[in-house]
PDB file of all heavy atoms in Angstrom:
ATOM      1  N   ASP D  39     -23.956   5.581  -2.832  1.00  0.00           N
ATOM      2  CA  ASP D  39     -24.072   6.942  -2.293  1.00  0.00           C
ATOM      3  C   ASP D  39     -23.101   7.907  -2.966  1.00  0.00           C
ATOM      4  O   ASP D  39     -23.514   8.916  -3.524  1.00  0.00           O
ATOM      5  CB  ASP D  39     -23.852   6.958  -0.786  1.00  0.00           C
ATOM      6  CG  ASP D  39     -24.957   6.207  -0.062  1.00  0.00           C
ATOM      7  OD1 ASP D  39     -25.146   5.007  -0.372  1.00  0.00           O
ATOM      8  OD2 ASP D  39     -25.639   6.802   0.776  1.00  0.00           O
ATOM      9  N   CYS D  40     -21.821   7.595  -2.895  1.00  0.00           N
ATOM     10  CA  CYS D  40     -20.837   8.470  -3.541  1.00  0.00           C
ATOM     11  C   CYS D  40     -21.120   8.472  -5.042  1.00  0.00           C
ATOM     12  O   CYS D  40     -21.053   9.504  -5.695  1.00  0.00           O
ATOM     13  CB  CYS D  40     -19.414   7.995  -3.278  1.00  0.00           C
ATOM     14  SG  CYS D  40     -19.083   7.557  -1.559  1.00  0.00           S
ATOM     15  N   CYS D  43     -23.489  10.915  -6.954  1.00  0.00           N
ATOM     16  CA  CYS D  43     -22.990  12.220  -7.413  1.00  0.00           C
ATOM     17  C   CYS D  43     -21.739  12.093  -8.284  1.00  0.00           C
ATOM     18  O   CYS D  43     -21.525  12.884  -9.187  1.00  0.00           O
ATOM     19  CB  CYS D  43     -22.643  13.117  -6.228  1.00  0.00           C
ATOM     20  SG  CYS D  43     -24.095  13.746  -5.381  1.00  0.00           S
ATOM     21  N   HIS D  44     -20.900  11.105  -7.954  1.00  0.00           N
ATOM     22  CA  HIS D  44     -19.625  10.977  -8.673  1.00  0.00           C
ATOM     23  C   HIS D  44     -19.721  10.008  -9.849  1.00  0.00           C
ATOM     24  O   HIS D  44     -18.721   9.729 -10.494  1.00  0.00           O
ATOM     25  CB  HIS D  44     -18.522  10.544  -7.700  1.00  0.00           C
ATOM     26  CG  HIS D  44     -18.159  11.616  -6.712  1.00  0.00           C
ATOM     27  ND1 HIS D  44     -17.239  12.600  -6.970  1.00  0.00           N
ATOM     28  CD2 HIS D  44     -18.633  11.876  -5.461  1.00  0.00           C
ATOM     29  CE1 HIS D  44     -17.144  13.407  -5.922  1.00  0.00           C
ATOM     30  NE2 HIS D  44     -17.983  12.999  -4.991  1.00  0.00           N
ATOM     31  N   PRO D  54     -16.586  15.530  -9.225  1.00  0.00           N
ATOM     32  CA  PRO D  54     -15.508  15.119 -10.130  1.00  0.00           C
ATOM     33  C   PRO D  54     -15.246  13.613 -10.109  1.00  0.00           C
ATOM     34  O   PRO D  54     -15.663  12.923  -9.183  1.00  0.00           O
ATOM     35  CB  PRO D  54     -14.296  15.889  -9.610  1.00  0.00           C
ATOM     36  CG  PRO D  54     -14.636  16.308  -8.232  1.00  0.00           C
ATOM     37  CD  PRO D  54     -16.126  16.374  -8.136  1.00  0.00           C
ATOM     38  N   LYS D  64      -4.200  13.995  -6.887  1.00  0.00           N
ATOM     39  CA  LYS D  64      -4.784  14.707  -5.757  1.00  0.00           C
ATOM     40  C   LYS D  64      -4.151  14.359  -4.420  1.00  0.00           C
ATOM     41  O   LYS D  64      -4.020  13.192  -4.083  1.00  0.00           O
ATOM     42  CB  LYS D  64      -6.280  14.417  -5.719  1.00  0.00           C
ATOM     43  CG  LYS D  64      -6.900  14.813  -7.045  1.00  0.00           C
ATOM     44  CD  LYS D  64      -8.359  14.596  -7.112  1.00  0.00           C
ATOM     45  CE  LYS D  64      -8.797  14.851  -8.555  1.00  0.00           C
ATOM     46  NZ  LYS D  64     -10.210  14.763  -8.746  1.00  0.00           N
ATOM     47  N   ARG D  77     -17.358  19.885   1.389  1.00  0.00           N
ATOM     48  CA  ARG D  77     -16.867  21.172   0.870  1.00  0.00           C
ATOM     49  C   ARG D  77     -18.002  22.172   0.984  1.00  0.00           C
ATOM     50  O   ARG D  77     -18.930  22.165   0.164  1.00  0.00           O
ATOM     51  CB  ARG D  77     -16.451  21.037  -0.587  1.00  0.00           C
ATOM     52  CG  ARG D  77     -15.206  20.225  -0.823  1.00  0.00           C
ATOM     53  CD  ARG D  77     -14.113  21.030  -1.506  1.00  0.00           C
ATOM     54  NE  ARG D  77     -12.895  20.247  -1.610  1.00  0.00           N
ATOM     55  CZ  ARG D  77     -12.453  19.688  -2.744  1.00  0.00           C
ATOM     56  NH1 ARG D  77     -13.098  19.862  -3.876  1.00  0.00           N
ATOM     57  NH2 ARG D  77     -11.332  19.003  -2.742  1.00  0.00           N
ATOM     58  N   THR D  80     -20.616  23.680  -1.693  1.00  0.00           N
ATOM     59  CA  THR D  80     -20.767  22.756  -2.820  1.00  0.00           C
ATOM     60  C   THR D  80     -21.665  21.604  -2.338  1.00  0.00           C
ATOM     61  O   THR D  80     -21.884  21.458  -1.135  1.00  0.00           O
ATOM     62  CB  THR D  80     -19.406  22.169  -3.292  1.00  0.00           C
ATOM     63  OG1 THR D  80     -19.038  21.099  -2.412  1.00  0.00           O
ATOM     64  CG2 THR D  80     -18.307  23.216  -3.310  1.00  0.00           C
ATOM     65  N   PRO D  81     -22.154  20.768  -3.263  1.00  0.00           N
ATOM     66  CA  PRO D  81     -23.013  19.647  -2.826  1.00  0.00           C
ATOM     67  C   PRO D  81     -22.262  18.551  -2.055  1.00  0.00           C
ATOM     68  O   PRO D  81     -22.884  17.652  -1.514  1.00  0.00           O
ATOM     69  CB  PRO D  81     -23.560  19.090  -4.147  1.00  0.00           C
ATOM     70  CG  PRO D  81     -23.355  20.168  -5.158  1.00  0.00           C
ATOM     71  CD  PRO D  81     -22.121  20.898  -4.724  1.00  0.00           C
ATOM     72  N   MET D  82     -20.925  18.594  -2.004  1.00  0.00           N
ATOM     73  CA  MET D  82     -20.159  17.525  -1.334  1.00  0.00           C
ATOM     74  C   MET D  82     -20.427  17.563   0.172  1.00  0.00           C
ATOM     75  O   MET D  82     -20.049  18.511   0.851  1.00  0.00           O
ATOM     76  CB  MET D  82     -18.661  17.701  -1.627  1.00  0.00           C
ATOM     77  CG  MET D  82     -17.763  16.702  -0.905  1.00  0.00           C
ATOM     78  SD  MET D  82     -18.111  14.966  -1.371  1.00  0.00           S
ATOM     79  CE  MET D  82     -17.056  14.115  -0.192  1.00  0.00           C
ATOM     80  N   TRP D  85     -18.850  13.467   5.796  1.00  0.00           N
ATOM     81  CA  TRP D  85     -19.152  12.062   6.110  1.00  0.00           C
ATOM     82  C   TRP D  85     -18.699  11.674   7.505  1.00  0.00           C
ATOM     83  O   TRP D  85     -18.874  10.547   7.929  1.00  0.00           O
ATOM     84  CB  TRP D  85     -18.498  11.150   5.062  1.00  0.00           C
ATOM     85  CG  TRP D  85     -19.151  11.321   3.729  1.00  0.00           C
ATOM     86  CD1 TRP D  85     -18.801  12.216   2.758  1.00  0.00           C
ATOM     87  CD2 TRP D  85     -20.316  10.629   3.238  1.00  0.00           C
ATOM     88  NE1 TRP D  85     -19.665  12.115   1.690  1.00  0.00           N
ATOM     89  CE2 TRP D  85     -20.597  11.144   1.951  1.00  0.00           C
ATOM     90  CE3 TRP D  85     -21.134   9.623   3.750  1.00  0.00           C
ATOM     91  CZ2 TRP D  85     -21.675  10.694   1.180  1.00  0.00           C
ATOM     92  CZ3 TRP D  85     -22.198   9.163   2.977  1.00  0.00           C
ATOM     93  CH2 TRP D  85     -22.459   9.707   1.715  1.00  0.00           C
TER      94      TRP D  85
HETATM   95  C1  HEC I   1     -24.609  15.085  -3.027  1.00  0.00           C
HETATM   96  C2  HEC I   1     -23.539  14.808  -3.970  1.00  0.00           C
HETATM   97  C3  HEC I   1     -22.263  14.141  -3.464  1.00  0.00           C
HETATM   98  C4  HEC I   1     -22.148  12.998  -2.731  1.00  0.00           C
HETATM   99  C5  HEC I   1     -23.250  12.102  -2.182  1.00  0.00           C
HETATM  100  C6  HEC I   1     -20.714  12.766  -2.571  1.00  0.00           C
HETATM  101  N1  HEC I   1     -20.013  13.748  -3.195  1.00  0.00           N
HETATM  102 FE1  HEC I   1     -17.985  13.921  -3.206  1.00  0.00          FE
HETATM  103  N2  HEC I   1     -18.148  15.721  -4.173  1.00  0.00           N
HETATM  104  C7  HEC I   1     -19.321  16.255  -4.661  1.00  0.00           C
HETATM  105  C8  HEC I   1     -19.016  17.495  -5.359  1.00  0.00           C
HETATM  106  C9  HEC I   1     -20.030  18.393  -6.061  1.00  0.00           C
HETATM  107  C10 HEC I   1     -17.627  17.677  -5.245  1.00  0.00           C
HETATM  108  C11 HEC I   1     -16.786  18.845  -5.790  1.00  0.00           C
HETATM  109  C12 HEC I   1     -16.776  19.941  -4.778  1.00  0.00           C
HETATM  110  C13 HEC I   1     -16.048  21.166  -5.300  1.00  0.00           C
HETATM  111  O1  HEC I   1     -16.636  21.855  -6.151  1.00  0.00           O
HETATM  112  O2  HEC I   1     -14.932  21.415  -4.860  1.00  0.00           O
HETATM  113  C14 HEC I   1     -17.106  16.542  -4.496  1.00  0.00           C
HETATM  114  C15 HEC I   1     -15.778  16.344  -4.189  1.00  0.00           C
HETATM  115  C16 HEC I   1     -15.246  15.171  -3.686  1.00  0.00           C
HETATM  116  C17 HEC I   1     -13.841  14.883  -3.559  1.00  0.00           C
HETATM  117  C18 HEC I   1     -12.708  15.813  -3.946  1.00  0.00           C
HETATM  118  C19 HEC I   1     -12.386  15.563  -5.390  1.00  0.00           C
HETATM  119  C20 HEC I   1     -11.495  16.582  -6.001  1.00  0.00           C
HETATM  120  O3  HEC I   1     -11.164  16.395  -7.177  1.00  0.00           O
HETATM  121  O4  HEC I   1     -11.110  17.565  -5.369  1.00  0.00           O
HETATM  122  C21 HEC I   1     -13.728  13.624  -3.053  1.00  0.00           C
HETATM  123  C22 HEC I   1     -12.438  12.854  -2.765  1.00  0.00           C
HETATM  124  C23 HEC I   1     -15.063  13.142  -2.857  1.00  0.00           C
HETATM  125  N3  HEC I   1     -15.971  14.106  -3.255  1.00  0.00           N
HETATM  126  C24 HEC I   1     -15.368  11.895  -2.367  1.00  0.00           C
HETATM  127  C25 HEC I   1     -16.642  11.468  -2.065  1.00  0.00           C
HETATM  128  C26 HEC I   1     -16.921  10.224  -1.389  1.00  0.00           C
HETATM  129  C27 HEC I   1     -15.877   9.194  -0.987  1.00  0.00           C
HETATM  130  C28 HEC I   1     -18.279  10.167  -1.242  1.00  0.00           C
HETATM  131  C29 HEC I   1     -19.078   9.095  -0.544  1.00  0.00           C
HETATM  132  C30 HEC I   1     -18.658   8.715   0.786  1.00  0.00           C
HETATM  133  C31 HEC I   1     -18.835  11.380  -1.833  1.00  0.00           C
HETATM  134  N4  HEC I   1     -17.809  12.143  -2.316  1.00  0.00           N
HETATM  135  C32 HEC I   1     -20.183  11.688  -1.911  1.00  0.00           C
HETATM  136  C33 HEC I   1     -20.587  15.723  -4.504  1.00  0.00           C
HETATM  137  C34 HEC I   1     -20.908  14.604  -3.751  1.00  0.00           C
END
Side-chain angles (χ1 to χ4, degrees):
D39 294 57
C40 314
C43 287
H44 291 274
K64 303 181 188 184
R77 290 240 175 105
T80 80
M82 176 61 187
W85 292 89

